[in-house]
Amino acid sequence: MKRIGFVGENENDVKSIAALLRKRFSMDMEFFVLLFDVNGNSLDNTDFKNRFRREFEIQRDEEGGVDLVIIIRDLDSLEDDKKKVDQSKSYFKEWNKTINQKGIFLLNIYELEALIWADIEGYNIKYGTNIPPFPNPMMIWEPKEELRKHVSYSEGGSPRIFNEALRPDIIAQNCRYFAEFLREFENRIA
């Protein structure tokens, strides 16, 4: 069994991505949260890095090992914001050093809700809505707020939506960064 740890800006992001991975990969995997009480800003400080390393070592030594750690972060900007992209990737490189290069980075462009837009058809089918698609979900400025223009949406509902309505292969077809993440995940667990 592969043990996959998660660190994300919030628990809903972690549960949502875990739901997609369970759907996409049939192998026996245990998903667990490596660190709780983390938000976007706390990922950037030294205290986070120290807590992250300690928890990784505990899981590695006492809980049966860690095969991979997925670090989920929202860019809170579009992909053309080179400064923010480079800064996020730089932080990830530092975090990855603390866990023996066992990390994979999922940088959501703009935020996690872009993935809902990447399979808005699945969402429409499941929930009986008629939300028009965007040609490129990576180009939606504030996808969460855009979704709220059409439906009553709260972040707490995202794990249910990802589990019930969204299809990882369709998301990968419509969202380049998620397709790249899936390829890297598949290569790393092989």
Side-chain angles (χ1 to χ4, degrees), residues 134-188:
F134 271 85
N136 182 352
M138 291 176 56
M139 295 301 293
I140 302 171
W141 186 262
E142 298 185 339
K144 184 184 325 172
E145 287 73 14
E146 191 64 38
L147 191 59
R148 287 179 178 149
K149 291 178 183 177
H150 300 278
V151 294
S152 175
Y153 171 79
S154 74
E155 294 174 25
S158 65
R160 181 181 48 81
I161 292 167
F162 278 67
N163 188 50
E164 293 178 353
L166 303 185
R167 301 162 294 180
D169 292 336
I170 300 299
I171 294 172
Q173 287 174 14
N174 295 323
C175 186
R176 179 178 35 80
Y177 78 81
F178 188 72
E180 292 167 359
F181 165 76
L182 282 182
R183 275 192 299 276
E184 183 175 0
F185 182 78
E186 192 166 28
N187 289 336
R188 296 286 296 274

Side-chain angles (χ1 to χ4, degrees), residues 96-113:
N96 206 18
K97 286 178 191 175
T98 68
I99 58 169
N100 304 324
Q101 306 297 323
K102 289 201 176 231
I104 294 180
F105 193 35
L106 175 58
L107 181 60
N108 292 305
I109 313 288
Y110 190 95
E111 54 199 1
L112 180 79
E113 286 75 12

